[in-house]
Amino acid sequence: MADPEMSVTPYWELTFDADGDVDGRQRDRLVKEMVQRKVRDLIVFSHGWNTDRSGATRLYSRFFEPVPALAPQARLGYVGVLWPSMRFSDEPIPDLPPSVAAEVPAAARPVLDKGTRHALIEVFPGRATVVEQIARLLEQQPDEEASLEEFGRLVRLLVEVRPQGPQASFAADTSTEGEPLMLFGDTATVCDEFAQALAGLESPGGASFAMPRPWDGAHELLRQATYYAMKRRAGTVGERGLGPLIGQLAKAAPEVRVHLVGHSFGGRLVSFALRGLPEGVRAVKSVTLLQGAFSHYAFAARLPHDPRASGVLNGRQNRIDGPLVCCYSRFDSALGTIYPLASRMANDSRTVTADFGIGRKLGPEWGAMGHDGVQAVAGTRALTLAEALKAKLPATGCVNIDAASVVKRGGSPSGAHSDICHRELAQVVLAAGRVR
């Protein structure tokens, strides 16, 4: 399937809805043309949260661009997964310069711009009135504490899912998680902690002359609530959508080797696809996680802080006929600060109290895969990026690769998190799958 923006061929797209159902025509075209073109290695890439279709297509094009030259003899095919994510339009698109809108002084921009309001309505259909009410409160920022509580109520209403729908059971990364307290606790307290965390990111280690206000963290509460909803959605699409589809591909073309790649929540999506693989399917030859935005204990058999509990993907790395490679970077402040704070406030470890412990040190139980790699999985190898590119990667098991030598671009809290389009990381994907 040709795409004018795509740098490689053959390239196909697979579009999934929020419940994991795939576009049937795209699926059938992929199966038919993959066989016709005698594809041997199929690289399937999933974007993460905060990405729309055009941003995802540009990301795939940039990342895939060096691959043909790196493996000139390989019979490669490329798939871009598209799932209903969400992009706040005042933030950078992965690996692209900040938008013009983001360069406008904050005081001159609406708190919730038109593009973001449109995106919220698109990914949460039927809730346009709720979005407009949220936008109005963010704009006005009334002094009354009751207004913040109303804001919290509207955010909960925006992101709630049907109790009978499939998404409700896909939010957890560990077996100890419960309902997100950040949505059901005291809104003013939650917003205050987010405001303090954001102030720390803007001037790390420096003096702050303005006391953060709870409303300064309200926009972040909305983002994190949306993030929580997309977290559920990524798991749903992976297990109910992509996993079974790989089974269909394996049945139609058993010789095709599938290599899964995921950025941010896309890493969560492709990892949950391992739970959805039909029994006996061994088509997945490698999984590469780029700045994965989910718990670093997701694959653990036992949690260090609660040995009675495990990660929800415990043992699923064994469904791969090859390695699970996790690229991480200490420069990813989005995963190093905001992610663990949101995880703690979402009650990911059931150790948080009602006051959320403002100012408390964030412990390792809330850590993210893309910040320090896979944790608490026996036999996990640890390599620098240079070591990974020199030596042959392990044939099986988990491999952590410190990618901070290339994933380090600053400029915003999400800068390093999105800094993934590097030739070296494309080489890692090929090395993980032994693609030549």
Side-chain angles (χ1 to χ4, degrees), residues 15-23 82-84 123 125 160-170 229 232-242 244 269:
T15 303
F16 295 87
D17 69 14
D19 291 334
D21 293 324
V22 68
D23 183 306
L82 300 174
W83 57 284
V123 293
E160 69 181 4
V161 296
R162 303 187 314 274
Q164 70 276 20
Q167 292 185 53
S169 60
F170 285 95
R232 293 182 306 214
R233 195 170 285 183
T236 306
V237 173
E239 183 167 337
R240 290 173 56 89
L242 183 58
L269 190 155

Side-chain angles (χ1 to χ4, degrees), residues 36-97:
Q36 289 176 341
R37 289 174 175 264
K38 296 182 171 57
V39 169
R40 171 64 173 162
D41 289 280
L42 188 70
I43 303 176
V44 181
F45 197 153
S46 174
H47 65 81
W49 176 64
N50 218 22
T51 307
D52 56 15
R53 182 191 179 279
S54 61
T57 303
R58 285 192 290 267
L59 170 65
Y60 299 153
S61 183
R62 287 289 303 278
F63 189 87
F64 287 148
E65 187 175 11
V67 171
L70 292 170
Q73 304 303 316
R75 301 200 308 271
L76 287 163
Y78 307 84
V79 172
V81 171
L82 300 174
W83 57 284
S85 180
M86 162 74 206
R87 191 173 87 78
F88 281 74
S89 58
D90 58 351
E91 296 188 2
I93 297 172
D95 203 56
L96 289 178

Side-chain angles (χ1 to χ4, degrees), residues 193-194 196-202 204 220 224 330-345 362 366-368 371 413:
E193 184 149 359
F194 275 133
Q196 291 189 38
L198 290 170
L201 282 178
E202 289 172 2
E220 187 61 29
Q224 292 302 329
R330 66 184 179 276
F331 294 116
D332 191 336
S333 55
L335 295 183
T337 300
I338 294 298
Y339 174 89
L341 175 60
S343 296
R344 171 159 65 82
M345 295 168 76
L362 296 169
W366 293 288
H371 190 252

Side-chain angles (χ1 to χ4, degrees), residues 22-210:
V22 68
D23 183 306
R25 288 183 299 178
Q26 291 181 340
R27 176 200 59 211
D28 295 344
R29 183 184 300 120
L30 168 61
V31 172
K32 177 182 176 182
E33 295 182 4
M34 181 182 67
V35 173
Q36 289 176 341
R37 289 174 175 264
K38 296 182 171 57
V39 169
R40 171 64 173 162
D41 289 280
L42 188 70
I43 303 176
V44 181
F45 197 153
S46 174
H47 65 81
W49 176 64
N50 218 22
T51 307
D52 56 15
R53 182 191 179 279
S54 61
T57 303
R58 285 192 290 267
L59 170 65
Y60 299 153
S61 183
R62 287 289 303 278
F63 189 87
F64 287 148
E65 187 175 11
V67 171
L70 292 170
Q73 304 303 316
R75 301 200 308 271
L76 287 163
Y78 307 84
V79 172
V81 171
L82 300 174
W83 57 284
S85 180
M86 162 74 206
R87 191 173 87 78
F88 281 74
S89 58
D90 58 351
E91 296 188 2
I93 297 172
D95 203 56
L96 289 178
S99 66
V100 174
E103 295 169 357
V104 177
R109 300 197 308 265
V111 179
L112 202 63
D113 62 274
K114 184 178 178 180
T116 300
R117 292 199 303 271
H118 176 76
L120 285 168
I121 291 168
E122 197 169 71
V123 293
F124 299 110
R127 296 172 193 176
T129 301
V130 175
V131 171
E132 292 307 318
Q133 289 175 313
I134 287 173
R136 192 176 307 117
L137 283 172
L138 282 173
E139 195 73 37
Q140 296 172 351
Q141 301 188 5
D143 290 334
E144 303 85 3
E145 188 171 322
S147 297
L148 267 174
E149 288 306 314
E150 172 64 6
F151 177 79
R153 185 190 72 82
L154 291 168
V155 170
R156 288 193 297 273
L157 184 60
L158 176 70
V159 301
E160 69 181 4
V161 296
R162 303 187 314 274
Q164 70 276 20
Q167 292 185 53
S169 60
F170 285 95
D173 284 348
T174 67
S175 58
T176 62
E177 296 176 37
E179 288 298 313
L181 285 185
M182 69 174 173
L183 295 181
F184 296 95
D186 178 71
T187 303
T189 303
V190 174
C191 291
D192 188 57
E193 184 149 359
F194 275 133
Q196 291 189 38
L198 290 170
L201 282 178
E202 289 172 2
S203 52
S208 177
F209 299 100

